[in-house]
Amino acid sequence: MKKKILIVYTGGTIGMTRSENGYVPQLDSFIEQLHTIHELKDEKMPKWDFYAMDPLLDSSNISVDEWNKIGEIVAKHYANYDGFVILHGTDTMAYTASALSFMLENLNKPVVFTGSQIPLCEIRNDARDNLITALMIASNSHLHEVCLYFGGKLLRGNRSIKFSANDLIAFMSPNYPTLADVGIDINYHTAAFMQPSKEPFTFQRLKRIPIGVLKIFPGIQFDLFKSLLSQPLKGIVIETFGAGNIPQDGKELLPMIQRAFEQGTIVTVTSQCVHGTVSLGTYEASSGLKQAGAVSGYDITTEACVAKLYYLFSKGYDSNKIKELMETDLRGECTL
Ligand code: ASP
């Protein structure tokens, strides 16, 4: 039986056309362009339906409300399709894919994000190939997770980062193997796939939780960031050096973190290095963070860490539970 896939178009370069102010999403012309791709009607391709979100957005405008809308569409049509392809702008695709990986609980079907660096309307483009391959991947019934296909690589969604603003291979998954490499064939690495869940699929909406990200840099004057840490932020991601280190004269930061923690704020430590993991306590420069109550994000990306904080707070857990779950691998987003 032919597989049935729902394509959800959210906006992004893939379907954009030129305007006086640069590229903008344009539904009619994108649909027209899609009809010119005869391969999409090939008998080897799955059947597909197309759903366009309204309004179509440049992904720099996509946030919690749109994550909820995308999740709702998948949840509403979950039983009627074998897989989903989400067409999304590249700029925040890794954030949305991460968020959906948490929101779609006990997912047992493939949800494949893709987009392009060059719109389908241009003669030279990566849109056509990314779309065709994503549709084929979304027909693979062994995939039970949110993934991201781009430029020949199938990545776990919550492990992906956009690392190039220009290259057609724009995404990477620095701390987890690719789920598939696409050349002449689609070579799946099934050992890296998520296991199917035995529980029924459910969907968790997210709330607009106040979250902050603080990047440490040499010479950072922590007292200037006092207000950030004392405001009613519920989750703070601290992007530290290397394995979780902060400057020694950052001692002022520690009581701030402690106070934040006592007020129920979850401070999670990630690394500015794209590859490797946080290991609190390996150096003196990081042990204070642990003592002050910060949790380790291990090798999680900042994108997935932000999404995970939104998710756990939206679940309504208390701060002790959130602290525990931030240090737990929920969807293959971190290596403990
Ligand atoms: N600004 C665009 C977006 O993220 C970039 C892209 O899609 O490649 O929507």
Side-chain angles (χ1 to χ4, degrees):
M1 256 255 288
K2 255 187 183 258
K3 293 284 167 70
K4 238 176 106 189
I5 310 298
L6 181 63
I7 300 176
V8 181
Y9 176 44
T10 69
T13 296
I14 190 161
M16 288 190 180
T17 42
R18 293 171 194 220
S19 80
E20 277 173 15
N21 301 320
Y23 285 127
V24 287
Q26 222 285 332
L27 183 58
D28 293 344
S29 66
F30 183 49
I31 291 177
E32 251 172 57
Q33 298 284 334
L34 282 180
H35 285 303
T36 66
I37 309 180
H38 301 295
E39 292 85 340
L40 290 176
K41 295 172 210 136
D42 192 283
E43 59 168 45
K44 285 194 219 82
M45 291 297 286
K47 281 207 237 161
W48 53 272
D49 291 323
F50 182 84
Y51 179 96
M53 290 210 346
D54 184 21
L56 295 171
L57 294 170
D58 184 295
S59 77
S60 40
N61 298 311
I62 286 191
S63 175
V64 176
D65 291 346
E66 290 74 29
W67 297 346
N68 284 332
K69 277 192 204 166
I70 300 168
E72 267 158 22
I73 296 162
V74 173
K76 186 170 163 209
H77 297 282
Y78 188 74
N80 305 327
Y81 290 92
D82 299 296
F84 298 83
V85 168
I86 317 289
L87 303 181
H88 194 286
T90 58
D91 288 343
T92 66
M93 196 189 292
Y95 284 95
T96 306
S98 297
L100 268 292
S101 78
F102 295 111
M103 297 161 77
L104 303 173
E105 299 170 322
N106 305 310
L107 181 66
N108 260 329
K109 298 184 178 187
V111 173
V112 185
F113 278 77
T114 197
S116 68
Q117 293 277 55
I118 311 174
L120 188 57
C121 67
E122 300 292 353
I123 299 173
R124 261 189 69 247
N125 71 71
D126 53 336
R128 184 185 161 282
D129 270 10
N130 283 347
L131 173 58
I132 292 173
T133 309
L135 271 168
M136 290 178 163
I137 290 169
S139 319
N140 183 333
S141 49
H142 299 291
L143 275 164
H144 315 98
E145 58 184 292
V146 174
C147 22
L148 187 156
Y149 175 72
F150 211 93
K153 306 252 168 249
L154 180 67
L155 311 174
R156 175 164 295 160
N158 59 30
R159 290 289 197 156
S160 63
I161 55 172
K162 181 178 178 184
F163 77 97
S164 175
N166 308 104
D167 290 350
L168 300 188
I169 300 172
F171 288 86
M172 67 194 283
S173 166
N175 289 313
Y176 196 75
T178 52
L179 303 182
D181 288 294
V182 181
I184 291 178
D185 298 311
I186 302 179
N187 284 315
Y188 288 103
H189 310 304
T190 47
F193 288 11
M194 290 276 282
Q195 291 305 308
S197 167
K198 293 194 178 69
E199 301 300 318
F201 167 77
T202 48
F203 166 57
Q204 172 67 49
R205 285 178 65 83
L206 297 194
K207 295 182 186 140
R208 288 187 158 269
I209 309 292
I211 285 172
V213 179
L214 175 62
K215 183 166 183 160
I216 304 296
F217 55 90
I220 184 169
Q221 296 176 33
F222 285 110
D223 50 331
L224 301 180
F225 293 89
K226 212 176 205 153
S227 61
L228 180 75
L229 285 148
S230 60
Q231 274 183 17
L233 282 180
K234 290 210 175 293
I236 300 172
V237 182
I238 301 197
E239 278 193 7
T240 58
F241 302 133
N245 305 316
I246 55 165
Q248 277 301 290
D249 58 3
K251 290 247 162 58
E252 304 153 48
L253 177 68
L254 301 179
M256 291 187 222
I257 291 182
Q258 198 153 3
R259 219 168 310 121
F261 177 62
E262 282 158 13
Q263 287 163 5
T265 299
I266 304 297
V267 178
T268 310
V269 181
T270 63
S271 175
Q272 290 174 23
C273 299
V274 291
H275 182 248
T277 189
V278 163
S279 167
L280 295 183
T282 296
Y283 294 92
E284 193 192 1
S286 73
S287 59
L289 283 170
K290 197 175 179 181
Q291 284 153 22
V295 296
S296 173
Y298 298 99
D299 59 355
I300 199 168
T301 62
T302 296
E303 290 85 333
C305 195
V306 166
K308 192 171 177 179
L309 284 166
Y310 274 120
Y311 171 70
L312 294 177
F313 278 102
S314 300
K315 293 288 283 182
Y317 296 135
D318 65 29
S319 44
N320 280 325
K321 180 82 178 162
I322 295 178
K323 198 175 166 192
E324 180 196 320
L325 292 177
M326 283 308 288
E327 292 193 331
T328 305
D329 176 15
L330 300 180
R331 302 281 195 279
E333 74 279 9
C334 58
T335 321
L336 304 181

